[in-house]
Amino acid sequence: MSSDRLLQNIVSILLMSGYNVSERCEIRPRSFDLMASNGENLIAIKVVSQIDSISEDVAWDLDKIARHLHAVPLIIGERARDLPLERGAIYLRYGIYAVSTSTLYDYLADGELPLVYASPGGMYVNIDANRLRELREGMEMSLGDLANALGVSRRTVSKYENGMGTTLDMALRLEEFFNDDIVKPIDLLTYTPAAEEQVPASLPSAHTAGESAEKPEDHLRLMGINVHEFKRSPFHAVSVFENETILTCYGSPQKTVERAEFVSSISQISGTHSLCVVTDYGKEKKIGKTVVIGDKRLKDLADGEELLEIVMNEKR
């Protein structure tokens, strides 16, 4: 299936499931292709044919988008290596869920949560550890008793009751033995960003007061704004001041209109503000929801409050 057709199918599933969908990102490089929201969940979607093509930089960006926009990153694809993605199965790329369009449809349209995940060696499931312990103790069985019944070690059963996953075959044996559900479904829209946010060496560190700021992102920091930069996102940074989030991009006038229009679409979907800082530009205007100002105008602003007043001015 072509990438265009794949993306169209995904958009159709999202719209049918009550999501508002952003414009498609045509800007390169790009760490995501779409954002979608139903008012409760915000999803950042990367669409690829081969999920193995997802790079560490793309995953890094998706994780930071999840952190700073309170979104869920999701990779939608067709194949892993030479095999099609299994329906109802979850795959992982650098800790981010990757699924087929069929799995996405089952989840969003029918509320059917995936049960299995792919890992080296085959398909695995998560065991509901508390439920397994309750069932075993309810039958007055020791760890050793259950281990003997299953033909595994006592240590293995103990690991199951401490949250270790198991093969699909073993999960079926457990459910048949207890005649009860033990497999724990996987929620596609549950994601926890990386425990520590590490700034790559390629991104500048924050400047201290009194230092010069040649780049827009550096001046934003001097204004007291928290700036979180990305590697491959169509917006270069997320700027945060007084709990207000601003999707921020900077560059030459030639690419401003296309980038500003797309970032405006993302801003609308994500409930944020958006700003484009343009070099050698003397005007100040809006493209959609995106405020476009020159880099010299930015450097005239004293602090984050002045910038916030500009991006929140709906009458411009």
Side-chain angles (χ1 to χ4, degrees):
M1 185 185 300
S2 69
S3 59
D4 285 344
R5 180 67 180 275
L6 181 60
L7 194 138
Q8 289 171 7
N9 288 347
I10 293 166
V11 170
S12 297
I13 292 170
L14 290 165
L15 292 174
M16 181 182 63
S17 303
Y19 279 78
N20 293 316
V21 183
S22 73
E23 296 176 7
R24 176 183 181 178
C25 181
E26 301 285 359
I27 301 167
R28 294 181 180 274
R30 56 175 180 261
S31 50
F32 67 93
D33 295 278
L34 298 169
M35 279 199 185
S37 173
N38 63 355
E40 181 179 354
N41 298 302
L42 177 65
I43 313 174
I45 299 172
K46 180 63 178 176
V47 181
V48 291
S49 178
Q50 288 274 354
I51 66 170
D52 305 288
S53 67
I54 296 295
S55 68
E56 188 173 2
D57 281 355
V58 167
W60 189 91
D61 267 13
L62 287 171
D63 179 75
K64 297 303 167 284
I65 288 170
R67 178 186 299 276
H68 298 299
L69 295 185
H70 309 292
V72 175
L74 198 59
I75 300 164
I76 312 294
E78 295 182 294
R79 305 180 69 82
R81 297 185 180 179
D82 296 326
L83 297 174
L85 301 187
E86 296 282 350
R87 187 169 195 159
I90 283 181
Y91 300 74
L92 287 175
R93 287 297 292 166
Y94 299 102
I96 295 173
Y97 289 154
V99 297
S100 67
T101 53
S102 299
T103 303
L104 179 71
Y105 175 87
D106 292 341
Y107 178 88
L108 292 181
D110 296 335
E112 186 176 328
L113 276 64
L115 295 176
V116 302
Y117 63 91
S119 194
M123 293 293 181
Y124 296 83
V125 298
N126 293 320
I127 295 293
D128 187 333
N130 292 331
R131 183 59 182 155
L132 176 59
R133 185 179 297 108
E134 289 173 359
L135 291 169
R136 177 180 61 78
E137 292 176 349
M139 294 179 64
E140 298 183 350
M141 297 181 71
S142 67
L143 290 171
D145 292 336
L146 181 55
N148 289 332
L150 297 174
V152 298
S153 69
R154 182 182 182 280
R155 184 181 179 187
T156 298
V157 174
S158 178
K159 286 183 176 181
Y160 292 159
E161 293 190 1
N162 281 284
M164 184 181 79
T166 187
T167 62
L168 184 58
D169 178 67
M170 178 56 70
L172 291 174
R173 289 172 61 189
L174 281 165
E175 291 193 338
E176 289 175 359
F177 183 84
F178 288 110
N179 194 28
D180 207 326
D181 294 330
I182 295 177
V183 174
K184 194 173 183 179
I186 304 169
D187 191 342
L188 281 183
L189 297 186
T190 298
Y191 179 79
T192 303
E196 295 183 7
E197 183 175 18
Q198 297 180 349
V199 178
S202 59
L203 296 182
S205 59
H207 284 230
T208 57
E211 283 191 78
S212 63
E214 296 298 326
K215 297 180 180 179
E217 59 270 33
D218 296 334
H219 188 74
L220 289 169
R221 291 189 175 103
L222 288 179
M223 293 165 62
I225 297 170
N226 290 322
V227 181
H228 309 282
E229 292 185 73
F230 297 87
K231 292 182 177 182
R232 301 176 63 85
S233 170
F235 45 85
H236 297 100
V238 166
S239 304
V240 181
F241 185 78
E242 293 185 349
N243 296 321
E244 296 290 342
T245 300
I246 308 167
L247 307 181
T248 309
C249 51
Y250 17 81
S252 63
Q254 290 80 4
K255 295 184 178 180
T256 295
V257 173
E258 180 185 13
R259 192 177 296 275
E261 287 178 344
F262 177 73
V263 174
S264 173
S265 174
I266 297 301
S267 175
Q268 184 73 38
I269 292 293
S270 61
T272 59
H273 309 288
S274 53
L275 171 73
C276 271
V277 181
V278 184
T279 55
D280 300 322
Y281 182 74
K283 299 179 181 180
E284 185 176 315
K285 66 177 181 179
K286 264 195 169 182
I287 298 177
K289 284 192 65 178
T290 303
V291 173
V292 180
I293 63 174
D295 54 351
K296 292 181 180 179
R297 171 68 173 124
L298 176 68
K299 292 179 181 179
D300 287 339
L301 302 179
D303 52 35
E305 290 185 2
E306 288 192 6
L307 179 64
L308 204 57
E309 184 178 343
I310 290 174
V311 298
M312 294 182 71
N313 184 357
E314 299 295 333
K315 295 181 181 181
R316 179 173 281 96

